[in-house]
Amino acid sequence: MEKVIEYYKQFDEWGRLDRQPIEFQVNLHYIKKYLPSSGAILDNGAGPGKYSMELARSSYEITLTDLTPKSVEDAKRKAKEFNLTEKFDGFHVADARNLKVLSNQQFDAALMLGPLYHIQEERDRIQAVKELYRVTKNEGLVFVAFMPRVRHIFTSLQFPENWRPNNSMDAINRFDQTGCFNHLDEGRFTGAYYFNIEDIQPFMESIGFKTIELIGSNVGASLSEREWNYWWQKGEQEKLLELLIEKARDPYLLGSSSHLLYIGKKKG
């Protein structure tokens, strides 16, 4: 996981969610829709804590973990900047596969909005979700991010030189079979794993979760910057967001989204 740590030491994840606000706003809408009115929440693999800060403004007690020390330090600074430090129970450098700093059934709800697509080995993905299961209370909610394989196939077809080695059909066909992607260009997105959409629900349920919903965090991901700007300049961004929140639940559009959000409950 050293490459992941190195990547996020340099990458501005907070800024990414500012530059791509639809993903953040859609996820936050559905997280808030299902969360209890109060309780202890884990933000596991939180990066600099953009979701944590938003939830800390409500009546939740937040625990933040991330693999990258710099991200954890950034989150501490953000909490101080927003006068939210007292709403945090802890900031921990921790691997999603080993949350030994956390207790069994500690949280009423848990977010894991990044780690799974950085873990290429199946046994490690299973271990990460088992750890999420362990630290979540019975009947507690989980919100887990995935990246859909089919979306990356078509992104590679559209922009092959931007997603090397997926600039040949042989490479794209291999990716289609394995779901593993390792960028050839130094400093670009880390090695990643993309799920087949139909495998997400069985995967989570095999570890003990009951599925509530699977939504597309950004079903408008195929729109170009020019196309987004058209609606922004017309002042219709709020209506566009409302539409994308509604269409996020359409199962026929999941493959068009750059990220997916699994919402489930730990079986008691």
Side-chain angles (χ1 to χ4, degrees), residues 141-253:
L141 292 163
V142 295
F143 304 86
V144 182
F146 294 82
M147 294 196 302
R149 193 174 305 181
V150 66
R151 170 67 191 167
H152 194 55
I153 288 171
F154 279 93
T155 301
S156 298
L157 291 170
Q158 286 178 291
F159 309 105
E161 293 304 315
N162 196 49
W163 292 103
R164 299 187 311 127
N166 282 7
N167 57 348
S168 75
M169 289 308 305
D170 285 344
I172 290 174
N173 285 329
R174 283 193 297 272
F175 169 75
D176 187 27
Q177 294 301 310
T178 67
C180 290
F181 178 78
N182 294 288
H183 214 299
L184 284 186
D185 296 336
E186 197 67 30
R188 293 291 306 280
F189 190 58
T190 67
Y193 181 79
Y194 294 73
F195 266 78
N196 285 318
I197 295 170
E198 64 271 21
D199 293 338
I200 294 172
Q201 183 172 326
F203 172 71
M204 294 298 295
E205 292 179 354
S206 72
I207 298 170
F209 293 102
K210 178 182 178 182
T211 300
I212 296 174
E213 270 200 288
L214 181 65
I215 65 108
S217 304
N218 186 1
V219 294
S222 61
L223 294 175
S224 68
E225 183 177 356
R226 178 181 60 82
E227 290 160 345
W228 283 114
N229 287 340
Y230 173 84
W231 297 105
W232 251 244
Q233 290 164 7
K234 283 177 69 80
E236 298 201 74
Q237 58 267 36
E238 290 302 320
K239 290 181 179 179
L240 174 58
L241 177 59
E242 290 172 6
L243 176 67
L244 294 177
I245 287 172
E246 176 192 345
K247 295 303 180 184
R249 305 178 70 180
D250 187 337
Y252 296 104
L253 294 180

Side-chain angles (χ1 to χ4, degrees), residues 1-16:
M1 303 297 281
E2 289 300 319
K3 287 187 176 181
V4 175
I5 294 172
E6 287 301 314
Y7 179 78
Y8 282 104
K9 280 170 65 175
Q10 304 172 47
F11 185 73
D12 179 14
E13 178 65 11
W14 188 285
R16 180 187 77 84

